[in-house]
Amino acid sequence: MAPERDGVRERVPAGATAAGRPRTPRLDQPRPPRRRFLPEWDPEAFGRLSESVARFLGTGRFIVWMTFVIVLWVVWNVSAPKELRFDEYPFIFLTLMLSLQASYAAPLILLAQNRQDDRDRVNLEQDRKQNERSIADTEYLTREIAALRIGLGEVATRDWIRSELQDMVKELEGRQNGHKDHQGTFPAMRAEHPPGRDADDR
């Protein structure tokens, strides 16, 4: 009988093939984290740090402080007592420090420039899409205005109505004048037949 531990029976592999089979990782479980020999860091935080350092290196304050430190370094190592000097005349240690600073400043500036280029690329893409939307809206409005102008060309305007009314007034005046002339041509007929009901209508 198989040994039991805490009331649960252990499964003992049966056969030689089961005992020698390598254990494969299960697909329904995440892989265990691998051991990393290099230190891990947050790229976004490191990028922000590089931008702040590059921004400081490009200011006049940094140049003033760097000039002050170098002048103080040189004056101290020239005029101080010999036992207190830590960098003699060719100032090799000062050259080493400046080279170390330059070797760190150049990659930080390049990293800040790369991040700025990425932001500029994203901004340019957004501006391009915005311009495309603006062009599409402008074309749509242009088509709508053209359709409105075509529609307004078929609508009766105030000047056209005024001209039509003037023509009708002239036509009515002409008819009225012609009717007066017709009445003045036959006065006897008008006297024989006065206005009112005719005798035959009784």
Side-chain angles (χ1 to χ4, degrees):
M1 198 173 168
E4 294 183 2
R5 184 174 57 188
D6 296 336
V8 179
R9 181 179 297 176
E10 289 184 352
R11 293 185 178 180
V12 178
T17 57
R21 183 183 302 168
R23 292 179 59 87
T24 57
R26 297 182 58 177
L27 298 177
D28 60 341
Q29 293 180 356
R31 287 184 177 180
R34 295 181 179 179
R35 293 182 179 179
R36 295 181 180 270
F37 298 100
L38 296 176
E40 296 183 3
W41 62 88
D42 186 9
E44 189 65 25
F46 192 74
R48 289 195 298 268
L49 176 63
S50 67
E51 286 182 345
S52 61
V53 171
R55 195 175 294 112
F56 175 71
L57 291 177
T59 58
R61 182 185 301 175
F62 170 74
I63 296 174
V64 170
W65 278 105
M66 184 175 176
T67 304
F68 176 74
V69 169
I70 291 175
V71 169
L72 184 62
W73 186 299
V74 171
V75 170
W76 178 266
N77 287 289
V78 169
S79 61
K82 197 169 183 75
E83 61 273 5
L84 297 178
R85 297 177 188 174
F86 56 89
D87 191 13
E88 292 294 336
Y89 162 62
F91 307 117
I92 298 174
F93 188 49
L94 177 61
T95 306
L96 178 63
M97 293 298 294
L98 293 177
S99 301
L100 184 64
Q101 175 197 347
S103 64
Y104 273 98
L108 289 174
I109 293 172
L110 289 176
L111 180 58
Q113 288 179 351
N114 291 335
R115 285 171 59 86
Q116 185 63 38
D117 291 340
D118 294 338
R119 281 197 295 269
D120 292 341
R121 191 179 302 111
V122 172
N123 291 333
L124 287 175
E125 184 67 20
Q126 292 178 352
D127 291 342
R128 186 182 64 81
K129 292 181 179 179
Q130 182 65 31
N131 290 335
E132 289 178 355
R133 288 194 294 268
S134 300
I135 291 172
D137 294 341
T138 304
E139 291 177 353
Y140 173 75
L141 291 175
T142 304
R143 289 193 297 269
E144 290 295 320
I145 291 173
L148 288 174
R149 292 181 64 182
I150 293 172
L152 286 175
E154 300 175 356
V155 175
T157 60
R158 182 176 59 184
D159 296 335
W160 182 80
I161 294 173
R162 183 180 298 167
S163 64
E164 289 294 323
L165 290 175
Q166 288 175 356
D167 294 340
M168 291 178 66
V169 168
K170 289 179 180 179
E171 185 178 356
L172 290 174
E173 288 177 352
R175 288 182 180 181
Q176 188 176 4
N177 292 334
H179 185 63
K180 287 181 180 179
D181 295 340
H182 181 71
Q183 288 179 354
T185 306
F186 305 102
M189 293 177 61
R190 186 177 179 187
E192 293 176 358
H193 299 282
R197 288 180 18 172
D198 197 356
D200 299 333
D201 295 336
R202 293 178 182 176

